[in-house]
Amino acid sequence: MGQAIIRCTAALIVLSIAAPAAAQDKAPWRYRVTAGAQVKPQYPGADQVSVQPMFDLDRARGDTPFEFEAPDDSFGVALFHAGSFSVGPVVNLVGSRKPEDVGVALPKVDRTIEVGGYAQTWLGDNFRLHGELRYGVTGHKALVGVGGADLVLRDGDKWLFSVGPRVTWADNKFHDAYFSVTPASALATGLLVYDAGSGIESYGAAAGTQFELTPHFGLYGYAKYDRLTGEAAASPIVLRYGSRDQFAGGIGLSYSF
């Protein structure tokens, strides 16, 4: 629920700020609202998923197609454009991890609001490179970086398909929060003491699709897979109570007006 609220609130703020400038242009804005349900890992390294709401709001001017967003992009706003290159701030939300979620007395990690920035560039019309660097201002209070590439095939807004690889890096504090086992936690759980350092956390891929069913209604869906690697994958928490395989996916209905 929190992720949907953040995306909805941030999108409405951006649209309201830009409204005066938009009124000065002759071409009217078009809007697309997407709502549905998705499943995501309960927390990094979990072996179960949780059902969450999914929401997105896009806009485009006149006959210009809606801008492409990968299903795992954080909410962001482009503050600087130079040809096919853009940068701007992003916001992301990571759910909490409670001892009962794991099934053993590990320290709680509060819900995390991550803020940071993104940079992306298009190599032609169909290939995008995108990267984000985010810091948890609550919860894990650590640094996370995500990089990826997307092959994007589309016919305007009639249909769109994207697919591409992903890699995630995290610093020592992030890995400590979710994958390390302190001596105190080892005594409480029977797990081996483990100190996970910084490094590549996972690699995987994401795919998304959008189909226009009528001039107003459309269908959206996505799937994502990550495979934990390195010190995250070797964590006793993952080996006994979690999974190296991390799945996410969602489906929703869109309305354009």
Side-chain angles (χ1 to χ4, degrees), residues 52-249:
Q52 304 174 17
M54 181 176 66
F55 180 87
D56 195 28
L57 177 62
D58 300 297
R59 70 173 185 171
R61 189 184 293 283
D63 295 329
T64 303
F66 290 106
E67 185 175 355
F68 167 73
E69 295 177 4
D72 55 340
D73 284 355
S74 299
F75 177 80
V77 180
L79 293 184
F80 174 76
H81 275 286
S84 60
F85 177 78
S86 63
V87 297
V90 293
V91 180
N92 187 52
L93 185 68
V94 180
S96 64
R97 186 194 72 181
K98 300 181 288 293
E100 54 266 33
D101 295 331
V102 187
V104 69
L106 287 170
K108 177 183 178 182
V109 183
D110 291 329
R111 185 182 297 268
T112 303
I113 298 175
E114 297 175 340
V115 298
Y118 84 91
Q120 74 174 28
T121 188
W122 285 86
L123 305 178
D125 296 330
N126 305 107
F127 194 74
R128 184 194 75 151
L129 299 177
H130 181 92
E132 298 180 9
L133 187 63
R134 309 185 301 260
Y135 177 78
V137 295
T138 62
H140 60 63
K141 295 184 178 178
L143 199 62
V144 182
V146 181
D150 294 281
L151 172 65
V152 182
L153 304 175
R154 68 187 303 174
D155 180 4
D157 290 328
K158 292 182 180 180
W159 62 268
L160 180 149
F161 174 76
S162 69
V163 64
R166 299 290 187 270
V167 62
T168 301
W169 171 91
D171 70 4
N172 183 265
K173 291 182 67 175
F174 185 93
H175 282 174
D176 279 346
Y178 292 104
F179 303 114
S180 290
V181 181
T182 66
S185 293
L187 286 175
T189 63
L191 294 171
L192 296 175
V193 174
Y194 184 73
D195 183 14
S198 62
I200 300 298
E201 178 192 322
S202 65
Y203 56 87
T209 187
Q210 176 89 37
F211 286 96
E212 188 179 73
L213 301 175
T214 73
H216 292 291
F217 288 97
L219 189 64
Y220 171 79
Y222 84 90
K224 188 172 189 288
Y225 169 75
D226 287 305
R227 175 76 170 175
L228 295 182
T229 188
E231 300 197 23
S235 167
I237 301 172
V238 173
L239 295 177
R240 184 175 298 185
Y241 298 104
S243 173
R244 295 182 63 183
D245 299 309
Q246 304 284 283
F247 296 95

